[in-house]
Amino acid sequence: MPYVAVSALSHPGLLRERNEDSLVIGPWTLCATVTENPQTLVFPLGTPLVVAVADGLGGHPGGDVASALAVRRIASIGPALSSEDTVRAALNACNRAVYEAAGGDDEGDFAAMGTTVAGVVVQPDSLLVFNVGDSRVFAASREGLRQVSVDDSPPLEPGQRTTSLVTQCLGGSRGYRPIQPHVTAASLSPGDRYLICTDGVTDPLPTDVLDDVMREHDDGRAVFELWRAAIEAGGPDNITLAVVRVSDE
């Protein structure tokens, strides 16, 4: 029977006091979690399966609240995410929910809290890739690692590899701002693999390092080695990642 294997890990890194990342895999969520050993879940290929990470905005109160709210809402409606339009609608609903949870125009304790989100919806013959913000989705193939999400970041200066700034996210401002989610469809075949991660992975690790690890290791071992590489690079931010693999065995 065809199936989808998802291996994932979420860790605060070495410099942050708490983990403001969250993760959703089908009906399961991990929020503000400290894990050092990847967990693998297996699902039959059929009903839409959503796998996504959310990175609460640093420097804003309630980043962990915003990311948890987003993944829990996505988890609750995941099986209904059957088209690009339904994914866009879900992300817009998450944006509104984060804004309202922050107090709306009343400017409560969590005013301007926000989060990025990036992930995939796995369907029997196709895959939907989505993101808002700078968390990323990569397709891993024999030809190498290819980013399939779209960074919502300002242009980099010469010699600059990363930036902590985002041009849009879920919430993140005192006044409500609409979003333009990035959602694309791709074909799906047995053996396809995808890496989904927050910038706690991509900021300290250049793409060639990610590519080397994904080529050398499968599933949970790849997740562990990427986490270990990010820690050895200083672990400057929360680290959350998932590897999704489709199999027909």
Side-chain angles (χ1 to χ4, degrees):
M1 174 184 294
Y3 67 86
V4 184
V6 184
S7 300
L9 178 153
S10 187
H11 188 273
L14 298 180
L15 301 184
R16 302 291 189 184
E17 292 184 1
R18 59 185 178 182
N19 189 358
E20 295 190 334
D21 287 355
S22 295
L23 170 75
V24 53
I25 305 172
W28 304 93
T29 59
L30 287 176
C31 306
T33 302
V34 180
T35 57
E36 297 182 359
N37 298 304
Q39 302 298 310
T40 298
L41 300 176
V42 178
F43 302 85
L45 185 62
T47 301
L49 174 71
V50 61
V51 181
V53 299
D55 181 356
L57 296 188
H60 293 241
D64 54 337
V65 176
S67 68
L69 188 158
V71 301
R72 287 170 178 158
R73 190 178 187 96
I74 291 171
S76 69
I77 60 176
L81 300 178
S82 58
S83 68
E84 294 181 42
D85 286 343
T86 57
V87 173
R88 289 191 182 93
L91 294 175
N92 278 293
C94 286
N95 185 43
R96 174 66 70 177
V98 171
Y99 172 73
E100 292 176 352
D105 294 326
D106 295 334
E107 298 193 359
D109 293 340
F110 291 155
M113 75 175 181
T115 182
T116 70
V117 64
V120 300
V121 180
V122 184
Q123 300 174 329
D125 299 310
S126 64
L127 181 113
L128 298 171
V129 178
F130 63 87
N131 79 284
V132 178
D134 61 355
S135 292
R136 293 179 176 176
V137 180
F138 297 90
S141 68
R142 294 178 181 177
E143 288 72 38
L145 204 65
R146 175 173 56 90
Q147 184 175 340
V148 290
S149 57
V150 180
D151 290 344
D152 287 313
S153 301
L156 297 176
E157 298 293 335
Q160 185 182 17
R161 194 178 66 82
T162 65
T163 176
S164 60
L165 302 177
V166 294
T167 53
Q168 71 167 351
C169 60
L170 306 181
S173 63
R174 294 184 180 275
Y176 175 77
R177 292 181 181 177
I179 57 172
Q180 296 294 327
H182 306 283
V183 186
T184 57
S187 60
L188 192 67
S189 302
D192 285 355
R193 292 197 303 159
Y194 287 85
L195 168 64
I196 305 163
C197 58
T198 61
D199 62 2
V201 176
T202 54
D203 278 358
L205 302 178
T207 303
D208 60 341
V209 172
L210 305 181
D211 186 30
D212 288 345
V213 173
M214 292 297 291
R215 285 178 183 273
E216 186 173 352
H217 302 291
D218 290 331
D219 298 358
R221 182 62 184 273
V223 168
F224 176 79
E225 294 296 341
L226 287 170
W227 167 76
R228 185 166 70 173
I231 291 293
E232 290 176 349
D237 202 351
N238 303 154
I239 302 165
T240 301
L241 67 157
V243 170
V244 178
R245 177 173 57 86
V246 179
S247 177
D248 61 354
E249 297 179 358

